[in-house]
Structures are given as C-alpha cells and as structure tokens.
C-alpha cells in the first residue's frame, strides 16, 4: 500500500494521467468536429417566401432550390383559387436540401352548403343566418305581404330555391321580402268566363298575385282557356281581400272560333 501511494507521487503517474485526460479531450473534440461536418451544422438553404404566390410558381421555386413539397387545400372566401396561404417552415428558415416544405393553397372548388331555413325569418335574421352558413345576400326585392321585411322567397340564379338545397359555399342569393302593405284590402275581381290571359291581367292590376291554375277537362289549345272558377271569389258577403293574396283559378278549354254557330230553325207558317 505504501508503494502505491509513493507511485502516485511519481512523474510517470502524472504523465499517464495527463496523457489520458488529453486523449479524452482530443476524442471529444474530434467527435464534435466530425458531427458538425457530417450534419453541416449552421449551414442550410433559406426557405423562400411562398405565401401569396400561385401554386405553380411556388412549386417551381421549391424545385429549383432542391426542396420537396406537399400540398394541402382549404376553401377560403374572397381568396383567389390556387393561391398559397400557409407554408411550413416559414420563409427565411434555413433548412437542408431535399427538406419537405408543407404548403396550404386555396382550393379551386367551393364545398357545397345547404340553404338554411329562412321561413318566417326577418331580413336581419337572414343576414346572420346566411353569413354563418357561408352564403351572401345579393339583390332584395319587395312583394305585397302583411309583414315588413319577412323572407318570402330565396332565389339563386333567378330560380326560387328551397330549404336544404345545396349551393356552392360563398354563393350570392337574392331575397324577396314582404313590404308590410298586405293589411290593405282591395276588391276581388270577378274572373268567371274570362280567358286566362285577361284573368291574369286583372289579378295583377288589382294588386293580387296568381296562385295555382287547375286544368279541367281535355285541353287541346292552351292559348284558348276560360276561367270557370276562382278562389277567393267575389260574393255578396265577401268582396275584398288583402293586397298580394294569391288567387287560384280553374280553367277549361274555350270554344273554337272555327266551330259553326248553331242555326235557328225556321218556324213553319
């Protein structure tokens, strides 16, 4: 034991200890340099600014700089289709060649949405409901109805559409609203025995609207139809109705103008 302690005090021991420590430090230093060289620590290619570019231009830049890429799509209103709106990593980030860059572009096709139920809704309520469903309001027109600003019809592309019908998200729909004048009453026109065109003219002229038209009997000439009944009808007890009321008509085939009139029999003297 005494010899061991004596050995620890010798120059040989100190030389071996210092040599071992130096070897360990040298190994660690070389490993650090080698790792940095292998991984090209601190080196890289800055990611280009891709937001706002078209997908074709963005992918061209990435390919020119040796990047891989993956593209996802999302629908965004009021953004040009095919535009890059997100990128990962962000612009300016230094990454290695062949790194995958993730892009998000605006899809070229809007997803379908259902027309919400606007029946009995007011204009203000319809604005909020349509906005929440990704739809916009275009033109508004008014029609006679007892309630002011109540939704009477929803139109898309000039056609009346119903609740639940699918539309592209972001579509513009037109609204037909009540004008609040429906409480005013007008005279019910007498339409019996009038031809259909004249009856239609009389209905509109009275501030009413044309309802259902029912065809009675065999119809051979649609341009020659006669009204045989109407609802509401003018009676001794009912002569007025509200502005905008729908008038339903029943029509039948009128007599042909080519039919000879029956001849009167001459009485014998």
């Amino acid at each position: 034991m005494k010899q061991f302690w004596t050995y620890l005090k010798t120059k040989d021991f100190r030389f071996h200890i210092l040599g071992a420590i130096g070897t360990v430090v040298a190994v660690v230093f070389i490993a650090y340099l080698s790792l940095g060289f292998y991984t090209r620590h601190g080196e890289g290619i800055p990611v280009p600014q891709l937001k706002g570019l078209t997908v074709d231009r963005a992918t061209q830049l990435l390919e020119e700089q040796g990047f891989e890429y993956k593209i996802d799509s999302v629908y965004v209103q009021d953004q040009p289709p095919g535009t890059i709106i997100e990128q990962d990593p962000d612009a300016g980030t230094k990454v290695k060649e062949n790194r995958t860059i993730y892009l998000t572009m605006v899809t070229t096709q809007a997803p379908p949405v259902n027309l919400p139920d606007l029946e009995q809704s007011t204009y203000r309520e319809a604005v909020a409901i349509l906005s929440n469903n990704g739809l916009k309001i275009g033109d508004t027109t008014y029609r006679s109805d007892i309630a002011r600003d109540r939704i009477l019809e929803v139109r898309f592309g000039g056609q009346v559409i119903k609740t639940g019908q699918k539309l592209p998200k972001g579509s513009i729909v037109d609204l037909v609203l009540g004008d609040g004048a429906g409480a005013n009453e007008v005279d019910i026109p007498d339409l019996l025995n009038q031809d259909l065109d004249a009856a239609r003219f009389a209905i509109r002229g009275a501030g009413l609207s044309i309802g259902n038209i029912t065809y009675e009997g065999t119809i051979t000439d649609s341009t020659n139809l006669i009204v045989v009944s109407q609802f509401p009808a003018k009676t001794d007890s009912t002569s007025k109705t509200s502005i905008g009321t729908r008038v339903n008509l029943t029509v039948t085939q009128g007599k042909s103008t080519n039919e000879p009139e029956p001849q009167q029999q001459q009485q014998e003297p």
Side-chain angles (χ1 to χ4, degrees), residues 99-169:
R99 168 73 181 272
T100 299
I101 309 300
Y102 296 90
L103 305 176
T104 302
M105 77 169 189
V106 180
T107 182
T108 57
Q109 185 174 4
V113 295
N114 294 329
L115 178 69
D117 186 4
L118 300 177
E119 187 175 355
Q120 304 302 322
S121 298
T122 64
Y123 176 76
R124 285 188 177 183
E125 293 170 339
V127 171
I129 294 172
L130 290 172
S131 178
N132 291 336
N133 285 268
L135 299 173
K136 299 178 181 180
I137 295 178
D139 295 332
T140 55
T141 56
Y142 285 87
R143 194 172 70 192
S144 296
D145 189 78
I146 193 171
R148 175 72 179 180
D149 287 338
R150 183 174 67 179
I151 307 300
L152 302 180
E153 286 181 353
V154 182
R155 295 177 176 269
F156 178 68
Q159 302 296 322
V160 177
I161 54 177
K162 302 299 183 182
T163 299
Q165 187 169 336
K166 292 187 178 299
L167 300 172
K169 190 174 183 179

Side-chain angles (χ1 to χ4, degrees), residues 214-226 228 250-256 259:
T214 303
Y215 298 89
E216 185 178 87
T218 302
I219 304 300
T220 57
D221 183 4
S222 60
T223 63
N224 184 18
L225 300 173
I226 302 299
V228 293
T250 301
V251 298
T252 190
Q253 184 68 65
K255 293 182 179 180
S256 173
E259 292 180 0

Side-chain angles (χ1 to χ4, degrees), residues 171-247:
S171 296
I172 298 176
V173 296
D174 301 326
L175 300 179
V176 180
L177 312 175
D179 62 4
N184 298 332
E185 292 188 333
V186 295
D187 291 330
I188 300 174
D190 185 3
L191 307 173
L192 297 182
N193 298 319
Q194 293 191 32
D195 65 70
L196 181 57
D197 289 338
R200 285 172 169 161
F201 182 80
I203 290 171
R204 295 191 184 99
L208 305 173
S209 59
I210 300 171
N212 297 325
I213 298 177
T214 303
Y215 298 89
E216 185 178 87
T218 302
I219 304 300
T220 57
D221 183 4
S222 60
T223 63
N224 184 18
L225 300 173
I226 302 299
V227 177
V228 293
S229 69
Q230 67 179 85
F231 181 82
K234 188 172 185 177
T235 63
D236 293 338
S237 59
T238 304
S239 61
K240 293 182 178 294
T241 188
S242 298
I243 291 178
T245 298
R246 294 167 62 89
V247 180

